[in-house]
Amino acid sequence: MRIGKQDQAFTAIATSDADSITVRGYDLCNELIGQIDFTDYFWLLVTGDKPGDVQRRMMNACLVAIAEHGLVPSVQAARMTLAAGPEAWQGAMSAGLLGMGSVVAGSSEIAGRYLGELLERVEEDGRDLEQVIIESLEALKGQRKKVPGLGHPQHSGGDPRADKLLEICDGLGLSGKYVNTLRVLASHAPRIIGRALPINVSGAIPAVILDAGWPLDAIKAVPLLARAAGLSAHLFEESQRPIGFIMSHKADQAIAYDGVTSSANKKSA
Ligand SMILES: CC(C)(COP(=O)(O)OP(=O)(O)OC[C@H]1O[C@@H](n2cnc3c(N)ncnc32)[C@H](O)[C@@H]1OP(=O)(O)O)[C@@H](O)C(=O)NCCC(=O)NCCS
């Protein structure tokens, strides 16, 4: 069966023969291994080019900012999965990565696309940024939808990771249209939505890394790569000093059954 267009049967990432491996035009063994920093390699792999100094520093800052935040739901899922299947790190790691969705931990992509859409309306329709943002916030409020990249359950007074990333971005001279859009958004949101809504780390990451030149369609790779490092720490700790079953026991104690009892079923039968 043939599905989809068949006219671009190419990959530009890597190729190999019996003696060598070529990655993005570099000889892996002679030009990359032992010579390239992993953040540079990540940038090279994804974009096809090595980053400049400011791009590397911005990416490093993002990866460090999002790698770890304690026993968040995706980490709990990973640790409980390892407790149940200690022989399968890959299963436990996958459980953690699968939990990085649009609400927490994985929301950078949604926020990045939202900033992109706002800018598209400004650039393509020649509209005023503030007006576009005000209209969009009013629409989200009307539909009772969340503003991507804003709000945090714990850091309600301001997410320190977001503030630090924006400060670094300003310091590196990278802040441009995405950071500006995020800041204008955050300045209008509290009034329109009717509550304090600080910029969160998943709003700051796309803004700073898009301004650094990272592609919009690869935003999700940033938190995924970073959290793989944090999950590695949790899985190693789980293997040495397990808490997975403690967490599952506490959850069992915390959640009460309010379904139909078997005696009630018997009576109605
Ligand atoms: C992260 C998040 C889940 C935290 O939520 P929270 O502080 O626990 O708040 P809740 O989801 O319980 O919502 C409480 C109220 O605040 C509102 N609210 C919270 N974040 C909001 C946002 N970003 N935009 C609009 N309203 C928001 C909710 O609609 C709700 O209003 P209601 O009481 O009238 O129903 C939430 O802010 C969010 O979904 N943000 C967007 C997604 C995002 O950026 N996630 C990355 C987090 S690092």
Side-chain angles (χ1 to χ4, degrees):
M1 190 187 337
R2 212 176 72 162
I3 305 175
K5 288 186 183 163
Q6 308 278 316
D7 56 341
Q8 293 214 37
F10 305 106
T11 175
I13 299 170
T15 187
S16 60
D17 57 30
D19 306 314
S20 70
I21 302 156
T22 302
V23 179
R24 289 296 194 189
Y26 294 91
D27 182 287
L28 177 63
C29 297
N30 295 318
E31 295 178 296
L32 296 173
I33 297 177
Q35 306 204 35
I36 192 168
D37 168 78
F38 188 72
T39 301
D40 283 19
Y41 193 41
F42 177 44
W43 196 292
L44 172 67
L45 279 168
V46 174
T47 70
D49 292 311
K50 289 183 182 173
D53 183 50
V54 289
Q55 292 170 314
R56 174 190 316 113
R57 287 165 68 181
M58 199 67 256
M59 180 59 87
N60 266 326
C62 290
L63 292 171
V64 172
I66 194 68
E68 181 52 35
H69 197 272
L71 294 172
V72 295
S74 49
V75 167
Q76 293 185 26
R79 290 189 73 143
M80 286 190 224
T81 305
L82 195 72
E87 67 289 348
W89 261 57
Q90 76 280 14
M93 177 78 80
S94 305
L97 297 178
L98 286 169
M100 296 181 63
S102 58
V103 179
V104 282
S107 35
S108 290
E109 183 189 16
I110 306 264
R113 292 198 185 281
Y114 178 56
L115 296 176
E117 277 165 29
L118 293 172
L119 276 164
E120 221 172 83
R121 278 181 237 166
V122 171
E123 285 162 8
E124 286 180 10
D125 306 341
R127 308 212 25 232
D128 175 63
L129 178 67
E130 283 207 71
Q131 263 326 105
V132 165
I133 284 175
I134 289 168
E135 273 175 30
S136 171
L137 285 169
E138 284 169 348
L140 289 172
K141 167 90 175 166
Q143 297 158 11
R144 298 185 63 81
K145 285 190 178 158
K146 304 271 178 75
V147 185
L150 304 185
H152 198 278
Q154 185 182 23
H155 307 300
S156 47
D159 183 338
R161 299 164 299 175
D163 299 342
K164 191 70 194 179
L165 287 176
L166 291 169
E167 178 193 317
I168 291 171
C169 194
D170 289 341
L172 291 173
L174 282 173
S175 296
K177 62 184 183 179
Y178 289 100
V179 167
N180 181 48
T181 302
L182 180 65
R183 284 183 164 140
V184 176
L185 182 74
S187 72
H188 287 286
R191 178 182 57 80
I192 296 172
I193 306 295
R195 61 185 299 122
L197 278 180
I199 296 173
N200 63 43
V201 70
S202 298
I205 286 176
V208 301
I209 211 66
L210 287 168
D211 271 339
W214 188 254
L216 181 55
D217 286 337
I219 288 286
K220 188 86 183 200
V222 178
L224 283 174
L225 177 68
R227 279 290 160 100
L231 284 168
S232 301
H234 281 282
L235 296 184
F236 179 55
E237 188 180 74
E238 183 64 28
S239 72
Q240 307 294 303
R241 200 173 54 171
I243 58 170
F245 287 138
I246 299 176
M247 292 188 294
S248 90
H249 178 53
K250 298 276 181 203
D252 196 32
Q253 286 178 320
I255 309 296
Y257 177 73
D258 71 348
V260 178
T261 60
S262 59
S263 53
N265 259 344
K266 275 183 203 138
K267 271 183 211 153
S268 64

